[in-house]
Every structure is written in C-alpha cells, then in structure tokens.
Amino acid sequence: MATLVPLGTAATFGVLANTAVTNTGPTVVTGDLGVSPAGAVTGFGPGGGTVTGTIHVNDAVAAQAQTDLLAGYANALVQPVTATVPTELGGTTLTPGVYNSASGTFGLNGTLTLDAQGNPNAVFIFKTNTTLITGATGNVNLINQAKSANVFWQVGSSATLGIGSTLRGSILAFTSITATTGAIVDGRLLALGAAVTLDTNTITVPALSTCQVVVQPVAGPVVVGQPTPVSAVVTCNGLPVSGASVTFNGGAAPVTVTTNTAGIATGSPTFNTAGTATVTATVTATGTACSCTGVVSTPLTITVTPQSSCQVVLQPVGPVVVGQPTPVSAVVTCNGLPVSGASVTFNGGAAPVTVTTNTAGIATGSPTFNTAGTATVTATVTATGTACSCTGVVSTPLTITVTPQTSPLSASPACWRFNLPFPFPHLFVATLKATLTPAQAGVTVTFYVSGLPVGTAVTDASGVATLNNAGLSILQVSASSYTAVATVGGSTVQATGSLIPCFPPV
C-alpha cells in the first residue's frame, strides 16, 4: 500500500533546485521558489516569470527544504512496489499503489488516468531508476477523488516535460528537471542535484491537506512479546507538528508518545500473538493551524512472527579447580517461559553430566575438570510436551578457566535452611565454613555459591573462617556445593564443600 510521501518544508515550494532555477517567458509559479546550496534564480521579475510565494536563494529556508526533500525522496525510494507496468503510461488507468517499469524509465504520450476509487487519501507513487519523459500529448487525468497532492514521481536522474503537456503530482528528481514551452504542472518540480529549467510554464502547488499522520513502514522483524519501534509523521499543511500526542493502537496495549521537532513520534508497542496485526496512529495536537484532534492514520499491516523457540542459557561459573566437581547451571525456556522436567546434559568436563530442570527451568550439574587451563562448557537440552522444539538445542559455549588443585584450604559440609520467621532479606540461609592448614589468622575467605559471591569471613587463630547466615537465592539452593576462595602467600587457593538442605530445613 502506498503511503503519503512526507515533504516537510519542501511542500510549500512549486520549484526547488540545487544549482539554478532558470526561466524563459511569463512562467507563473503559485507557491514558493528556491535554490540551495549555491545556485542562482534567473528569468523572474519585470518581463519574466512571476512567483506568488517567496523566492529563497541560498538561505536557511531553502537549505531546510532541500534536507526535507532528500528525506521525502528516500521515503518514496524504499516504499514496496505494488506492480511493474509498461514504460509507456499513456492510455492506461491505474488505481492507488506504487509502480515501476521493467525498463527503469517512464514515458507519457497520451492520457494516464489515476482512479482513487472514492478514497480522497489514495496515494500514487511512480518510481524510475533513470528518467521521466512526457510528450506533447502527455496528460494525467484524476478521477474519483484522486488528488494531485497525493501523486508523486520519484525520478532516479532527470525529468523532461514535453511542450504543452500536463503533469499532475510532485516530481522528486535526483538530478534535474526541464519543463519545455507551455508545460503545465499541477504539483511541484523539486530537484535534489542540479537545475530546474522553465519556459512559459504554469506550476501550481496543490492545496495542502490539513492535519495528517502517516505510519512509517516497520524496519526489521516483529517478534511476539518483544517491543517493536513504530514511527509516525504528523504534519499540518505539510509542515511538521512538534509536541503532538500520538497513540499507537493494534498492539497488546495502546502506546502514547509525543512528536519531536521533525513531527516524528516513535512508540514501541508489543504484539502477543503471531500472525497479521494492524497498527494505526491517532494524533491529538493543539496550537496548530490544523484540526489535529482525533485524526487517524491509514492502517499499517504487519506480520508478527513467533519468538525463537527453545533456548538454553548457561549461567556464570565461579572458581573451577582440577579434580573438584564444579556446579554449573543452565536455564531452559520455551517462548520465554521456564521448562520444567527437561533433560540437560553438560559437556566439556571429564564426562557428560545429565540433570533435570526444576519448576523454574533451572538445571544444575557438577562436572569435573581434570586438566588445568581453559575449558569450554555447553548444555544440550531435550524436552517433550512443550510448545517448542526442544530436542538437541545447544547453549552458547561458556569458556571457563580451570586452576590447579594445590589448596591448603578445606571447606566443611554445609546445609541451607529457610530463613524464618521473617525471610528478609533472603528466603534461604546457610552457615559456610573453611579451614586453613596450617592455621593462619586474619586471612579473608570469600564464599561462592553457583558462581556468585555470598559473603566473606576472616580466619581466626585456629585458621577457621565462618560465614554465618549467608543469604542464598532460589538458583543457589539448587546447587550441591559451595566454594571458598582465599589468597595465601600471594597465591589464590580454594576448596569446595557440599551444600544440601538441612533437616529439619528451618
């Protein structure tokens, strides 16, 4: 579906060029005329052409219009093509859409009829890779509420309008435009790269619509459950409206945002169901020359794809010592929800270790690594009875460093319990103890569970460091061990102790 091409400040210009606007004869331009960034305007004034608006020569207004023209050209360039039609447009009737030709150029010799089918907002866009050339008999006829303001010609190089031809719509040319003797334009001649040449022409800027809001095509995929950036452009008589309230509807919930100085509002609605969705933008603006309250955009249809299916993610691992079992955890989800009862195999240690996920989708195994250095761990999941394909899904590899087993530190068996009667700030607690042999007082020992630090303690005269009431998360109580780490004589030493539920667990 073709959408209105935003022209910004260029919308008030009947003629806009980059290098020069030259005219011969009594041309009449109803609208503004300008050139930027370093051009000249000739052939207007006594004995020449007339301009009902303002002539802008290399000023800030013309520069901004060129900037807005470039944005409009890019918008037309990327709009998806509805159909490819013959190079010659004369003698054909077309309905709203975006059209190109197999040859990459358009010619107009005869009458092209544009049928809006009763829709005054219908948009017609014609895209050429190279040129647009009209003959003396070239004419564009509008029927069934079609409007010149909604017709756009995106020309890849240059446009030439034949003697006495009549064109309706705005030409957005990448290079130049030449209107030969007597050519009539119900629209605009806007050139990005070079000159506009005129000769006894009549150029009339179409009556600008009032407030308009146009939803832009969505870039990139739209995925279930993920916020998707959607933008809309709000204009009043072709000029951007800043500070307008725009509400995007069609997602799980309406999203309301405010337009910036360019009249653009970007919201991020979320779509919870895969398939086709329709997005509209409703605008409310005060203090403009337009009636902008309750104006609704043309609906934009998007395709929402399902979330990626089964995922398994490895969690960070704490200190790893040769020959000591190391707790490694993985979280398994299906469309973002935890998968319980899934079989997870940890590979990378001396032997594979297979465990089952709990109700939170967490599986914790304890592989052993027999060689110091770098090791790579992966988790492979198999689950049945889910909405996802979870068989053979493998996590992103996790690289760990295995240190030699030369530790004078030992860790005592420990157990965790519920932190009652008031489980604050942790629901579970444990008392963790490590002993340094030979005894040495004043050494700081850091305790880890599931690779995460839970606290520190300092050894006493007997070489014993005790961490009382260490707070544990639900992930950490799934571990079967804890690790104590200390620095002795400039070297890091560590030990692993078992961690099981206390009995009774309170």
Side-chain angles (χ1 to χ4, degrees), residues 369 371-376 398-402:
F369 302 88
T371 305
T374 299
T376 301
L398 176 68
T399 300
I400 61 175
T401 300
V402 184

Side-chain angles (χ1 to χ4, degrees), residues 410-414 431-435 445 447 464-468 482 484 497:
S410 61
S412 303
T431 297
L432 310 179
K433 183 181 295 185
T435 303
V445 178
F447 295 88
V464 178
T466 304
L467 178 62
N468 292 307
Y482 72 95

Side-chain angles (χ1 to χ4, degrees), residues 66-114:
Q66 278 284 2
T67 298
D68 292 345
L69 171 58
L70 179 60
Y73 183 93
N75 176 279
L77 185 66
V78 301
Q79 292 207 31
V81 172
T82 302
T84 298
V85 296
T87 298
E88 175 54 49
L89 295 172
T92 61
T93 298
L94 295 175
T95 54
V98 181
Y99 298 96
N100 68 1
S101 70
S103 67
T105 184
F106 277 125
L108 179 59
N109 297 279
T111 299
L112 166 65
T113 301
L114 302 182

Side-chain angles (χ1 to χ4, degrees), residues 31 44 53 58 121 144 147 149 172 176 194 244 263 282 311-312 316 340 343 354 363 370 376 401 433 449 500:
F44 290 89
N58 305 324
N121 296 318
N144 292 329
K147 296 180 180 179
L172 285 62
S176 63
T282 303
Q311 287 187 323
V312 55
S340 64
S343 174
T354 300
N370 292 339
T376 301
T401 300
K433 183 181 295 185
V449 179
I500 61 175

Side-chain angles (χ1 to χ4, degrees), residues 3-334:
T3 60
L4 195 68
V5 175
L7 294 178
T9 59
T12 66
F13 283 77
V15 177
L16 180 64
N18 179 292
T19 58
V21 177
T22 61
N23 173 60
T24 301
T27 292
V28 177
V29 178
T30 303
D32 295 334
L33 180 147
V35 62
S36 177
V41 176
T42 58
F44 290 89
T50 59
V51 177
T52 65
T54 304
I55 296 178
H56 297 276
V57 180
N58 305 324
D59 61 8
V61 174
Q64 184 60 53
Q66 278 284 2
T67 298
D68 292 345
L69 171 58
L70 179 60
Y73 183 93
N75 176 279
L77 185 66
V78 301
Q79 292 207 31
V81 172
T82 302
T84 298
V85 296
T87 298
E88 175 54 49
L89 295 172
T92 61
T93 298
L94 295 175
T95 54
V98 181
Y99 298 96
N100 68 1
S101 70
S103 67
T105 184
F106 277 125
L108 179 59
N109 297 279
T111 299
L112 166 65
T113 301
L114 302 182
D115 182 358
Q117 299 178 316
N119 179 9
N121 296 318
V123 176
F124 301 80
I125 299 176
F126 295 88
K127 302 167 62 164
T128 79
N129 293 333
T130 54
T131 59
L132 166 66
I133 301 174
T134 69
T137 58
N139 176 57
V140 178
N141 183 35
L142 305 179
I143 63 174
N144 292 329
Q145 300 193 55
K147 296 180 180 179
S148 296
N150 296 339
V151 180
F152 300 90
W153 304 83
Q154 177 261 311
V155 179
S157 58
S158 299
T160 302
L161 305 183
I163 296 173
S165 61
T166 299
L167 186 94
R168 302 183 190 278
S170 297
I171 297 179
L172 285 62
F174 192 74
T175 307
S176 63
I177 303 172
T178 299
T180 58
T181 307
I184 298 172
V185 178
D186 180 15
R188 306 173 181 88
L189 302 180
L190 309 175
L192 278 166
V196 175
T197 303
L198 308 173
D199 183 356
T200 316
N201 308 119
T202 300
I203 303 162
T204 305
V205 174
L208 300 177
S209 8
T210 55
C211 187
Q212 285 190 321
V213 54
V214 179
V215 179
Q216 303 300 294
V218 176
V222 181
V223 181
V224 167
Q226 296 182 4
T228 300
V230 181
S231 294
V233 181
V234 181
T235 56
C236 169
N237 289 340
L239 300 177
V241 177
S242 63
S245 174
V246 176
T247 300
F248 295 94
N249 294 289
V255 175
T256 301
V257 288
T258 302
T259 57
N260 60 18
T261 55
I264 299 172
T266 301
S268 294
T270 300
F271 304 87
N272 291 341
T273 304
T276 299
T278 301
V279 179
T280 59
T282 303
V283 63
T284 300
T286 58
T288 72
C290 302
S291 175
C292 276
T293 298
V295 177
V296 183
S297 70
T298 299
L300 175 70
T301 300
I302 60 175
T303 300
V304 183
T305 59
Q307 268 191 354
S308 41
S309 54
C310 188
Q311 287 187 323
V312 55
V313 179
L314 282 169
Q315 303 301 299
V317 176
V320 182
V321 178
V322 168
Q324 295 185 4
T326 301
V328 181
S329 294
V331 181
V332 181
T333 56
C334 168

